[in-house]
């Protein structure tokens, strides 16, 4: 989906703009590395002789940039009457060639950040999960190697990244001037991402990676599931919430209250356009990884949700969306996530609670058994005992 989505709030005093930029690369790891390069460089891009972030400050605008497997997201908070000037500055910055010294500085920052991420188990696991979400499962066994190569041999991002889409929230009213200025940023249609021709039964992948702690290991287990548009997705979301989505979840009771192994275990469902990733994360004593893996499998397959679990999980999920939707910045992020999946944010906001409410106990049990009763598709174990280059 390409274009401008405007979400209105008549009493708004500020406008939030999100612009998604696409970054090229042969593999998902290269695209992720390029996105981090562009994230580091973009605020410093010169507009005239002044960096973009300084120009924004002169307008009283707040600029922030984030990177993920989709590309780069530019977030702008500004008074409505200054939005046109701010978007013109962004257009001027991304349309100019990247100075060589800026490329080198961004590459150095990405490389340094990678060394920090590599030493932190939670950050490394999050990065691998994000990469898995945008990579064919047949490549999951080499995720770490591809990521390490991409992040340590960082090349310059595209001189002119391709604008993919934009979302504007909390404007006083639709403004032709504002819409025209943002439309100028949307230069052309992005190339469509074709479905990946991958086998349905890709072999399970296990990554064993080093971290600094001697006493504990971080265990991440993931199943490849259907995307958000699939009829089974709501039931899988409810299942993740029951297993590890709140303080009385099954993981909390099993790993924190009963065993005392993990302070904050969790389960979460994410989605890309082609597939979802149903994840479980626990930190356990280093010698208990196999025992913890078996316990998670029991918690997932021994389902039979109680009526209280089902109602509570649905209520938590709906309340979370309503809470996020109450803030301009959060609505921007959530709407951007949906738009990246090719979904219309306003429709998704209205339809998601209804889809969740239709998840009966029988359907929940059936969906979990069909999608999660097999061995996990991806297992990541991070502990010190493994060789550094494993």
């Amino acid at each position: 989906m390409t274009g401008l989505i405007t979400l209105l709030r008549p009493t708004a005093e500020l406008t939030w703009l999100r612009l998604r930029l696409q970054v090229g690369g042969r593999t998902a790891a290269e695209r992720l590395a390029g996105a981090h390069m562009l994230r580091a460089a973009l605020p410093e891009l010169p507009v005239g002789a002044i960096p973009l972030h300084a120009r924004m400050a002169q307008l009283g605008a707040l600029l922030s940039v984030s990177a993920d497997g989709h590309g780069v997201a530019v977030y702008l908070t500004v008074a409505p009457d200054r939005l046109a000037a701010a978007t013109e500055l962004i257009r001027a910055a991304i349309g100019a060639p990247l100075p060589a010294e800026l490329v080198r500085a961004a590459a150095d920052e990405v490389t340094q950040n990678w060394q920090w991420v590599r030493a932190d188990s939670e950050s490394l696991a999050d990065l691998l999960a994000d990469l898995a979400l945008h990579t064919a499962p047949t490549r999951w066994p080499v995720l770490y190697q591809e990521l390490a190569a991409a992040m340590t041999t960082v090349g310059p991002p595209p001189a002119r990244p391709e604008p993919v889409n934009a979302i504007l929230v909390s404007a006083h009213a639709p403004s032709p001037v504002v819409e025209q200025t943002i439309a100028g940023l949307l230069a052309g249609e992005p190339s469509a991402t074709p479905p990946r021709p991958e086998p349905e039964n890709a072999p399970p992948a296990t990554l064993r990676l080093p971290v600094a702690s001697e006493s504990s290991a971080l265990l991440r287990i993931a199943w490849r599931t259907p995307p958000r548009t699939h009829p089974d997705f709501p039931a899988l979301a409810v299942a993740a919430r029951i297993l590890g989505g709140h303080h009385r979840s099954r993981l909390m009771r099993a790993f924190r209250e009963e065993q005392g192994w993990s302070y904050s275990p969790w389960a979460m469902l994410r989605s890309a356009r082609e597939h979802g990733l149903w994840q479980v994360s626990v930190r356990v004593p280093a010698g208990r990884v196999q025992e913890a893996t078996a316990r998670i499998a029991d918690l997932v397959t021994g389902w039979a949700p109680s009526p209280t679990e089902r109602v509570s999980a649905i209520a938590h999920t709906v309340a979370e969306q309503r809470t996020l939707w109450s803030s301009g910045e959060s609505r921007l992020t959530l709407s951007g996530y949906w738009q990246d999946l090719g979904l219309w944010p306003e429709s998704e906001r209205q339809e998601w609670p209804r889809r969740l409410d239709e998840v009966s106990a029988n359907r929940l049990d059936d969906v979990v058994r069909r999608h999660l009763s097999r061995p996990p598709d991806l297992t990541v174990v991070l502990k010190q005992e493994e060789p550094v280059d494993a």
Side-chain angles (χ1 to χ4, degrees), residues 164-189:
V164 176
N165 54 44
I167 297 177
L168 174 70
V169 302
S170 299
H172 282 285
S175 165
V177 174
V178 168
E179 294 187 4
Q180 288 171 11
T181 56
I182 296 177
L185 291 166
L186 305 175
E189 294 287 330

Side-chain angles (χ1 to χ4, degrees), residues 2-52:
T2 301
L4 172 65
I5 294 178
T6 305
L7 307 168
L8 300 179
R9 187 173 66 182
T11 59
E13 297 178 358
L14 291 173
T15 293
W16 291 271
L17 172 69
R18 173 188 180 271
L19 177 68
R20 170 68 76 179
L21 304 176
Q22 181 175 316
V23 176
R26 294 175 302 168
T27 66
E30 289 182 359
R31 291 190 292 273
L32 183 64
H36 280 279
M37 271 282 291
L38 187 58
R39 175 200 56 76
L42 197 143
E44 301 296 333
L45 290 176
V47 181
I50 302 176
L52 177 61

